[in-house]
Amino acid sequence: MTERTKSASPLDFPRSPAQKPMRWLRRYYSAALLSALSLGVFVGASPGFLWADTAEAEAEVAETAPAVSAEAFAELQAAHAAYARDLDTLWICLAAFLVFFMQAGFAYGEAGFIRTKNVVNILMKNLIDFSAGSLMFWLFGFSIMFGALMWGDVGFGSPDSATGMLADDEGKPVAQSYAFFIFQRAFCASAATIVSGAIAERTRFHAYIISTILISGFAYPVFGSFAWSNLFDGANEGFLVQMGFIDFAGSTVVDRVGGRIWLD
């Protein structure tokens, strides 16, 4: 028998050595991006990583720098504080966007585990998690989770719209507060989506909409007020906060709530 030879394809063309770095970049760009962001946060939070003798460097600069007035120094401090606040807001937004893209991963993962005829249904459920859930979290879920506590040292904030909590005393919106809201909303959607994957192909669409509204507007915020109530206002301390409870990246507030609702 003669050995069969592979037929040439018009797509088979020799690759030049210059294309190898681009192929590597396309393959590993996500990991490289996350690594760069993590390194940037570490360096920004730890100046000693690059400058070992920070105190000596500051003292040297203080000796050689020209004297400035108190007013100029106060303006410099205010500008530095505003710059740091803007960087914090940017980082919170980046983290919220990464958590938000988990919704796409949930949708693809759930679609791969169900029958083809139900793929559109599960994709719509993931869309409802964020659309209807965002509305409920805005109307009263955020205030229940981070508002002034109604039950003393237990938890459960006063139900109200998030508009007043995200503005200053003059009624102007605060960018950092809105970034915090987006970040927490992304986690709330993750808790609701856990239920979506667990009960895939087992519920009707309208019944799932009701469950998403209850999870985003009541169940998740109530438990969140027990453990995370002091993240927005340090004066609010639920009973888990007072006991010294620390949640590791939402493993209890997010994953346990979604898993427990699924089991019930």
Side-chain angles (χ1 to χ4, degrees), residues 5-123:
T5 59
K6 182 180 178 181
S7 60
S9 171
L11 297 179
D12 294 336
F13 55 90
R15 296 182 180 272
S16 63
Q19 292 177 314
K20 291 184 179 180
M22 294 303 299
R23 286 189 296 168
W24 182 90
L25 182 61
R26 288 195 298 267
R27 183 176 301 178
Y28 300 108
Y29 76 95
S30 298
L33 176 61
L34 292 178
S35 301
L37 289 175
S38 301
L39 179 61
V41 173
F42 177 76
V43 173
S46 306
F49 179 74
L50 294 180
W51 302 279
D53 299 329
T54 306
E56 295 181 3
E58 291 179 351
E60 183 179 355
V61 171
E63 293 176 358
T64 58
V68 295
S69 61
E71 293 79 5
F73 184 73
E75 293 179 359
L76 183 61
Q77 282 186 320
H80 181 271
Y83 178 71
R85 185 170 56 251
D86 293 341
L87 282 180
D88 291 341
T89 303
L90 176 61
W91 174 245
I92 294 175
C93 289
L94 289 175
F97 299 155
L98 292 176
V99 178
F100 171 75
F101 276 110
M102 290 173 60
Q103 291 293 116
F106 289 140
Y108 281 121
E110 294 169 14
F113 281 100
I114 62 176
R115 291 171 291 180
T116 305
K117 67 176 184 178
N118 293 320
V119 169
V120 175
N121 180 272
I122 202 68
L123 294 179

Side-chain angles (χ1 to χ4, degrees), residues 81-93 96 142 165-168 172-184 231-232:
Y83 178 71
R85 185 170 56 251
D86 293 341
L87 282 180
D88 291 341
T89 303
L90 176 61
W91 174 245
I92 294 175
C93 289
F142 185 80
M165 297 180 60
L166 303 180
D168 56 13
K172 298 180 180 179
V174 180
Q176 195 167 15
S177 299
Y178 273 87
F180 181 80
F181 172 84
I182 295 173
F183 181 73
Q184 293 298 329
L231 296 184
F232 189 76

Side-chain angles (χ1 to χ4, degrees), residues 133-149 156-167 174 176-186 188 213 215-222 224-225 228-233 236:
S134 296
L135 181 61
M136 294 298 105
F137 194 68
W138 175 273
L139 289 177
F140 44 82
F142 185 80
S143 59
I144 290 176
M145 191 168 179
F146 299 106
L149 300 183
F156 198 94
S158 177
D160 196 3
S161 172
T163 305
M165 297 180 60
L166 303 180
V174 180
Q176 195 167 15
S177 299
Y178 273 87
F180 181 80
F181 172 84
I182 295 173
F183 181 73
Q184 293 298 329
R185 173 61 199 119
C188 181
I213 292 175
I215 293 171
S216 301
F218 183 75
Y220 174 81
V222 168
S225 68
W228 284 352
S229 56
N230 64 328
L231 296 184
F232 189 76
D233 185 357
N236 295 332

